[in-house]
Amino acid sequence: MPRPAQENQWWRSAVAYQVYPRSFADSNGDGIGDIRGIIERLDHIAGLGVDVVWLSPVYASPQDDNGYDISDYHDIDPQFGTLADLDELIAQLHRRGMKLVMDLVVNHTSDEHEWFVESRSSRDNPRADWYVWRDPRPGFVGGEPGAEPNNWESYFAGPTWEWVPERQQYYLHLFSKKQPDLNWENPEVRRAVYEMMTWWLDRGVDGFRMDVINMIPKVPGLPDGEVLPSGLGDGKPFYIGGPRLEEFLQEMRAEVFDPRDGIYMTVGETPGMTVEQAARITDTDDGSLSMVFQFEHMDIDHEGDKFTGAPAPMSRLREMLVRWQEGIGTRGWNSLYWSNHDQPRAVSRFGDDQDYWYESATALAVIMHLQRGTPFIYQGEEIGMTNVWFDSIDQFNDIEILGYYRTAIGLGRDEQELIAQFNRRGRDNARTPVQWSGDPHAGFTAGQPWLAVNANFATINAAAQVGAAGSVYEFYRELIALRHAEVVLTAGEFRILLNDDAELFAYLRVTDESRVLVIANLSGASRDWPEAELAAADVEAVAGSEVLLGNREARGAAEALLPWEARVIRLS
Ligand code: GLC
Ligand code: CA
């Protein structure tokens, strides 16, 4: 069955908002955000004008990786609420004209999922082959160092293998040992996943964000990877974009979405995916997913590793984003994002959260949202939340940080230097509670928050911004309204301009009827209006043109650009 006609692919004109439930709003004072807390704050989300909410996992889970380790796909974790709460959230969102996209975590389950409990119990139980089981390396005794079936290093430090005496075998876990990888080669596993997805669609959800979905097929044989500083190996070439990926995704589409007209939004989380593969996978006519989250611009400052890399220049960032705009072109569809629950805060990472906090938060928003694709806002981004500063390792929570810390201290690295790197790059930056007000704990909870609130909540909070002219929140609202109002910003082609400029990020959006110029000065110094450079790129003089949106006091279209000034101009 063909995909829905392009005009029915509703996500193309949508703006998405990600909720990380643990940190969004706590309704019962236990310090942990929950579904009722989300329901109570829906006005904040709806007020932005967004169309769809992506909810990070709320399923039953031992919370080893904050819910990305699921022990029951058909139930809600009690700390987040109940299935009835979720049904109410769906209903309340739909009533307000918004949709809900659930997180789909099926590269792995929790080791406490009944599938795994059964699978690990013996070599001949009905689910014996549902996970990736292997014998020890020949010549080694199982459980001894070096006996692992290959040398891969897991994302959260240590080998990707865990020994199970009952089976006298190892199981594969790309993430923590409480996140065993499912065996996607087994058709029964795939069928079980598709049934579960269908169960959620029947419940009324409008799509899925698919966790590390390009890691589901592994290269057969699971060969050793190149040796890393830790002494373990890099398995990525063998588990990223494995040979059967497109086959599995097409099968999923055919089994789950096509029978229901396919009007569902699907976003693959795909670290390391190439733009060529993304263009095929998101192909408007026969692709398997609505869009993917590419990672190039997120990995841009990860030279060495994500904690040690130096900040990247704006020009390189632009070059990557443009390559994705051009590479996907009009064949497929892009997602557009600066941040999520795994990334540091965008205004701190790519902007200037000290001298130009408001200006850089809003300029970054303009430059991202008006590219071709579906923009995603991560909770708190719309009020300009910044990175946090923790002084001691005890204040951090993230399993990735804590695993890295243990390895790095073992290798003799300096504690203070590590803490500085975690503050700059760690995932906890995105996970501190949403700053609702200047009340204790930023109004997030009446109890003790599970992770400390950023100390700047008295100045950066939603209460101070919603309805306040000149706030980051109100700017996001205007930006989203503009994107909804101007068809060219959804449907138009993307053309980069001023490609040699180190600080200006400028592009056109173009349809037969309409052309819009988007330009931002992503630096702390003023810039003359680039009249000559624009003329050389065949853009006519814009003086007198209508300025559709700007993040500085309204001025003429062709005035100089102040530090971090962004301007959106309609060309006649
Ligand atoms: C994805 C999630 C991340 C999680 C990992 C393992 O990258 O976004 O939070 O730790 O997958 O599920
Ligand atoms: Ca709670």
Side-chain angles (χ1 to χ4, degrees), residues 106 112 138 151 159 166 222 305 379 395 407 414 421 441 445 478 517 540 551:
V106 290
E112 297 180 33
N151 70 354
E166 296 91 310
L222 313 180
D305 68 43
Q379 67 183 37
Q395 290 172 279
T407 309
D414 179 67
Q421 289 170 351
H441 304 307
T445 179
E478 281 179 55
L517 168 65
E540 67 274 24
N551 66 343

Side-chain angles (χ1 to χ4, degrees), residues 191-205 208 255-257 259-260:
R191 201 168 319 122
V193 168
Y194 303 152
E195 274 170 21
M196 178 269 284
M197 293 172 74
T198 303
W199 187 88
W200 279 103
L201 296 182
D202 287 342
R203 240 187 153 86
V205 311
F208 299 99
E255 297 286 327
V256 179
F257 300 111
R260 322 171 63 111

Side-chain angles (χ1 to χ4, degrees), residues 10-12 14-19 48 50-56 100-103 207-210 265-269 290-294 297-298 333-341 345-346 364-365 368-382 476 479-480 483:
W10 56 267
W11 49 86
R12 292 187 172 219
V15 177
Y17 184 93
Q18 183 193 353
V19 170
L48 277 173
V50 300
D51 308 278
V52 51
V53 169
W54 151 28
L55 180 61
S56 279
L100 181 68
V101 161
M102 295 289 275
D103 220 304
F208 299 99
R209 172 270 187 187
M210 304 178 177
M265 170 167 150
T266 52
V267 194
E269 189 209 22
S290 313
M291 66 193 100
V292 300
F293 289 133
Q294 61 95 1
H297 68 305
M298 289 290 109
W333 193 248
N334 267 298
S335 73
L336 308 168
Y337 73 103
W338 284 125
S339 50
N340 59 42
H341 65 291
R345 289 287 175 178
L364 289 170
M368 184 59 82
H369 278 230
L370 301 186
Q371 292 178 44
R372 188 180 157 90
T374 300
F376 284 73
I377 299 163
Y378 176 65
Q379 67 183 37
E381 182 187 324
E382 77 282 13
Y476 264 85
L479 175 62
I480 292 163
R483 196 175 177 285

Side-chain angles (χ1 to χ4, degrees), residues 65 68 108 156 175 209 211-212 269 341-342 427 431:
D65 184 19
Y68 281 91
H108 44 269
F156 300 150
F175 294 90
R209 172 270 187 187
D211 195 67
V212 292
E269 189 209 22
H341 65 291
D342 295 328
R427 305 198 296 181
R431 301 179 180 186

Side-chain angles (χ1 to χ4, degrees), residues 21-22 25-35 37 78-81 444-445:
R22 170 174 287 275
D26 173 24
S27 71
N28 63 353
D30 68 355
I32 298 171
D34 45 55
I35 296 172
Q79 72 180 25
F80 294 129
F444 162 73
T445 179

Side-chain angles (χ1 to χ4, degrees), residues 319-498:
E319 184 225 314
M320 283 180 175
L321 293 171
V322 169
R323 205 146 51 71
W324 278 78
Q325 286 292 303
E326 293 175 346
I328 301 281
T330 53
R331 176 177 180 187
W333 193 248
N334 267 298
S335 73
L336 308 168
Y337 73 103
W338 284 125
S339 50
N340 59 42
H341 65 291
D342 295 328
Q343 301 293 335
R345 289 287 175 178
V347 64
S348 302
R349 184 182 190 181
F350 300 116
D352 177 347
D353 65 7
Q354 298 297 309
D355 295 336
Y356 294 104
W357 167 72
Y358 167 82
E359 293 81 0
S360 62
T362 51
L364 289 170
V366 168
I367 221 65
M368 184 59 82
H369 278 230
L370 301 186
Q371 292 178 44
R372 188 180 157 90
T374 300
F376 284 73
I377 299 163
Y378 176 65
Q379 67 183 37
E381 182 187 324
E382 77 282 13
I383 55 169
M385 279 179 61
T386 67
N387 278 355
V388 76
W389 188 269
F390 290 151
D391 295 319
S392 126
I393 190 67
D394 308 328
Q395 290 172 279
F396 292 93
N397 166 277
D398 177 26
I399 184 170
E400 179 184 53
I401 290 177
L402 300 179
Y404 188 95
Y405 177 79
R406 279 192 300 274
T407 309
I409 290 289
L411 294 170
R413 300 236 337 248
D414 179 67
E415 163 124 19
Q416 286 316 309
E417 189 191 313
L418 285 168
I419 287 180
Q421 289 170 351
F422 299 153
N423 279 312
R424 217 154 39 87
R425 293 287 166 70
R427 305 198 296 181
D428 280 339
N429 283 307
R431 301 179 180 186
T432 63
V434 170
Q435 294 163 212
W436 294 105
S437 69
D439 296 338
H441 304 307
F444 162 73
T445 179
Q448 282 298 319
W450 69 278
L451 183 68
V453 170
N454 191 314
N456 63 17
F457 72 91
T459 47
I460 300 181
N461 66 66
Q465 293 191 29
V466 176
S471 69
V472 178
Y473 181 91
E474 290 302 320
F475 188 87
Y476 264 85
R477 217 170 44 74
E478 281 179 55
L479 175 62
I480 292 163
L482 176 68
R483 196 175 177 285
H484 283 146
E486 300 287 335
V487 175
V488 60
L489 297 175
T490 302
E493 286 180 31
F494 172 97
R495 278 191 219 147
I496 189 69
L497 301 168
L498 314 184

